[in-house]
Amino acid sequence: MKLLRTIAASLFLISTSANAQTTPAPKLIVMVSIDQLSADLFAEYRGHFTQGFSRLLSGAVFPSGYQSHAATETCPGHATILSGARPSRSGVIANEWIDFSIPRDRKEMNCAEDPTKLSATPGRYFASDRNLVVPTLGEWMKAKDPGSRVVAVSGKDRSSIMMGGHKVDELWWFQGDRFVSYEGRSTPAIVNRVNASVAERIGEAQGPMDLPAFCQTRQRAIPLSTTKKVGDGQFSRAAGDAGAFRSSPEYDEAILALGAAFATEMKLGQGNSTDLLIIGASGSDYIGHTLGTRGSEMCIQLFALDQYLGHLFAVLDSTGVDYVVALTADHGGLDLPERSSQQGSAGGERVDPALVANTMGKDIAQKLGIAGPVLHGGSFGDVYVDPRLNEAQRHAVKTEAVARYRAHRQVHTVFTREEILATPSPTSPPDSWTLLDRLRASYYPGRSGDFIVVLEPRVTPIADATRGSVATHGSIWEYDRRVPVLFWRKNMAPFEQPLSIETVDIAPTLAAIAGVPIPVAIDGKCLDLDAGPGNSCK
Ligand code: ZN
């Protein structure tokens, strides 16, 4: 907490006096995405928050927001939030997909890369916004008023890029041990200052963080091997361990500190135009993947995040700017099956590695007498039949593969490209969607697979928990689709709407409040945030 306080304290000294004047449109839109925050987790903690989350809970609360599509991953999730477009429109179908046209051996395309360019950093791809094929709120704002400024900061490149869109004034993410931007951009002094603070922090060993009283009930070790356990940690780490820093509450503290620093340094919202500040708090996702969602670690993280959000809002308050905040998540998440099975939920298990497409493909190639790889993909989701096969081979491989996947006891269903594309884009509330509806919202021809494998609920697609990640998200099921959506502005009348909405509704809702026309067709609908007979959409 020290980092944000130090930066916030220095900024208070240069803040302007409160501006009592109110205008119809807010001067600053603040979009916060929490990477991996399921509606279930939010419901568990919401009554215990006292700081930033608690302020947002005094606004418009939609506890059943939906990342409505099937592939509930970070890149497609972030792409929905400020574009109003589902993956079937944004083109961002996954964190990574296979593109056989890439002129290199490795055909996996990262959602945030431009494969036609080479990065100056060894081992890195060239970061780019090119795979997002729709404009975002920041671009809509600049189309109306070129004076509007767009700033995006987050832990991951794809979070900043997919929310920031194609016309950003500042766009930063954390890489290795510091915040970086697109190659060729210069580093403002404020980023150097925050990076220096972060380097100092990483260089210090950290003792265990305080365990809030509520978290004591969550603290219990779950052994995963003779040397690995999760569930009772408190984030102590060695000096210089940037990896552990990234999987701790310190990470979000640094990200929010950089957001607050940009807000004051650039005087966001203090000019004639409405500005947009985008923050992707990535810490919960790293903690969820490495430690799960129901131990002391996530508990400490969420209480810490509540504090950091409170500090961010205090910094914004100190500027006197009339700002509106929206907060959501890019996807939910599922706890590790080893803990779930101890706690009243039998049946969760880890995926059978035989389902990985390459492994499945080897058996099929042998049976059909075909040389070389025939299937590409992971153990679920998009699976691609190798395009270098001839038409008869492709047909035989696809038929055999779909039958084999469908027969596996961990597979719920398989749908083919043809079945998905024959389904119209869904228009009903997202909690009523069929599996085909969800897959249709995720499907983008030219990028999506030849067929899609849907695992049974509660199958965790990580085969081995003894090293690396222990828990994840990405499924078609409710625990991964359902996320909170919160809006807050000073003096707004609070309400809670339990009926389902979509995260694609956020951008048109914010655009309406700011009086910004939407220049393209989108999937989302404006949500009326006026609790009474007034209508913020008109
Ligand atoms: Zn994510």
Side-chain angles (χ1 to χ4, degrees):
M1 211 160 299
K2 200 175 69 185
L3 182 61
L4 184 55
R5 271 213 198 108
T6 309
I7 292 167
S10 66
L11 295 168
F12 277 121
L13 301 176
I14 57 167
S15 64
T16 57
S17 59
N19 174 8
Q21 189 185 5
T22 52
T23 52
K27 295 305 301 291
L28 176 63
I29 297 173
V30 181
M31 182 74 233
V32 180
S33 168
I34 311 297
D35 202 314
Q36 192 183 141
L37 179 63
S38 70
D40 305 320
L41 202 55
F42 192 69
E44 180 182 340
Y45 284 91
R46 58 179 284 183
H48 302 277
F49 292 131
T50 58
Q51 304 296 314
F53 279 123
S54 152
R55 183 190 301 208
L56 300 181
L57 282 160
S58 70
V61 177
F62 297 88
S64 275
Y66 273 80
Q67 291 283 1
S68 52
H69 50 272
T72 49
E73 293 188 337
T74 294
C75 214
H78 279 106
T80 66
I81 294 171
L82 288 180
S83 72
R86 299 171 187 152
S88 55
R89 189 186 298 273
S90 72
V92 184
I93 58 157
N95 286 345
E96 197 171 84
W97 58 86
I98 295 178
D99 183 340
F100 293 94
S101 72
I102 303 178
R104 67 181 183 207
D105 289 343
R106 216 180 79 83
K107 301 300 182 188
E108 285 83 7
M109 159 95 87
N110 188 289
C111 65
E113 81 165 304
D114 180 348
T116 69
K117 299 196 174 94
L118 280 179
S119 171
T121 307
R124 281 287 304 178
Y125 52 80
F126 191 94
S128 163
D129 56 28
R130 79 195 281 273
N131 290 324
L132 175 70
V133 302
V134 293
T136 62
L137 176 63
E139 292 162 76
W140 307 349
M141 290 167 68
K142 283 175 179 284
K144 182 201 175 203
D145 177 358
S148 285
R149 292 169 297 168
V150 178
V151 175
V153 298
S154 76
K156 300 179 185 174
D157 55 0
R158 53 186 177 270
S159 314
S160 280
I161 292 171
M162 296 302 149
M163 293 194 290
H166 308 86
K167 292 179 182 168
V168 288
D169 296 87
E170 294 290 347
L171 188 143
W172 294 84
W173 67 87
F174 198 81
Q175 192 171 298
D177 59 1
R178 73 197 61 193
F179 289 99
V180 302
S181 188
Y182 289 126
E183 295 185 31
R185 287 207 170 206
S186 57
T187 305
I190 191 74
V191 176
N192 285 329
R193 269 167 52 198
V194 172
N195 274 341
S197 300
V198 167
E200 194 178 322
R201 172 67 81 85
I202 292 174
E204 295 166 2
Q206 296 295 318
M209 290 183 68
D210 289 343
L211 190 69
F214 179 73
C215 300
Q216 287 170 17
T217 61
R218 302 295 189 270
Q219 188 173 44
R220 192 148 55 82
I222 306 291
L224 294 169
S225 75
T226 51
T227 55
K228 184 176 178 182
K229 66 181 169 86
V230 300
D232 62 349
Q234 292 178 233
F235 300 110
S236 51
R237 65 163 173 81
D241 190 341
F245 170 86
R246 201 182 62 172
S247 296
S248 83
E250 299 177 275
Y251 193 39
D252 280 346
E253 185 182 8
I255 295 163
L256 268 64
L258 181 59
F262 268 124
T264 45
E265 191 76 8
M266 292 175 69
K267 298 189 177 352
L268 293 180
Q270 297 178 50
N272 294 322
S273 307
T274 298
D275 295 325
L276 174 60
L277 173 64
I278 298 165
I279 296 175
S282 311
S284 303
D285 191 59
Y286 287 107
I287 291 166
H289 282 302
T290 55
L291 301 161
T293 59
R294 308 196 60 83
S296 55
E297 303 94 344
M298 186 62 84
C299 191
I300 292 170
Q301 158 69 4
L302 290 176
F303 279 103
L305 190 50
D306 186 39
Q307 300 280 336
Y308 306 151
L309 286 168
H311 290 309
L312 170 70
F313 299 151
V315 169
L316 296 175
D317 290 343
S318 74
T319 66
V321 167
D322 174 20
Y323 63 99
V324 60
V325 184
L327 180 144
T328 191
D330 58 336
H331 49 74
L334 179 66
D335 195 23
L336 52 150
E338 290 82 359
R339 182 161 43 215
S340 299
S341 65
Q342 285 190 11
Q343 299 180 351
S345 171
E349 56 181 42
R350 294 189 175 276
V351 75
D352 178 358
L355 286 171
V356 172
N358 291 348
T359 308
M360 180 77 85
K362 279 182 188 145
D363 267 9
I364 294 173
Q366 199 168 24
K367 182 187 173 187
L368 298 178
I370 300 172
V374 297
L375 290 182
H376 304 267
S379 56
F380 74 110
D382 292 87
V383 179
Y384 303 77
V385 179
D386 196 294
R388 291 162 290 200
L389 304 180
N390 66 40
E391 200 51 41
Q393 287 174 325
R394 283 179 53 80
H395 180 76
V397 167
K398 185 170 173 178
T399 304
E400 178 72 19
V402 169
R404 285 190 185 210
Y405 275 108
R406 281 189 177 142
H408 194 285
R409 68 171 188 84
Q410 286 187 335
V411 173
H412 185 79
T413 189
V414 177
F415 285 108
T416 64
R417 166 194 165 89
E418 294 72 26
E419 291 170 310
I420 295 166
L421 287 177
T423 305
S425 285
T427 53
S428 59
D431 53 332
S432 71
W433 287 12
T434 65
L435 298 185
L436 258 179
D437 287 338
R438 302 173 202 185
L439 290 163
R440 184 67 192 84
S442 260
Y443 206 91
Y444 189 81
R447 292 184 182 178
S448 295
D450 291 293
F451 60 91
I452 314 288
V453 175
V454 177
L455 295 178
E456 290 285 7
R458 306 181 192 185
V459 174
T460 292
I462 297 170
D464 179 8
T466 60
R467 57 195 172 84
S469 290
V470 301
T472 193
H473 51 85
S475 84
I476 201 166
W477 305 110
E478 298 295 89
Y479 48 77
D480 284 342
R481 293 173 78 219
R482 211 162 68 85
V483 295
V485 176
L486 312 169
F487 296 92
W488 178 88
R489 189 178 180 183
K490 196 176 179 182
N491 299 325
M492 82 181 277
F495 69 85
E496 175 143 349
Q497 176 51 263
L499 295 174
S500 65
I501 59 153
E502 293 183 61
T503 52
V504 291
D505 299 334
I506 294 171
T509 301
L510 294 172
I513 292 172
V516 173
I518 302 172
V520 290
I522 62 170
D523 297 304
K525 300 180 291 286
C526 178
L527 306 166
D528 173 15
L529 299 187
D530 186 306
N535 188 338
S536 68
C537 296
K538 289 180 177 160

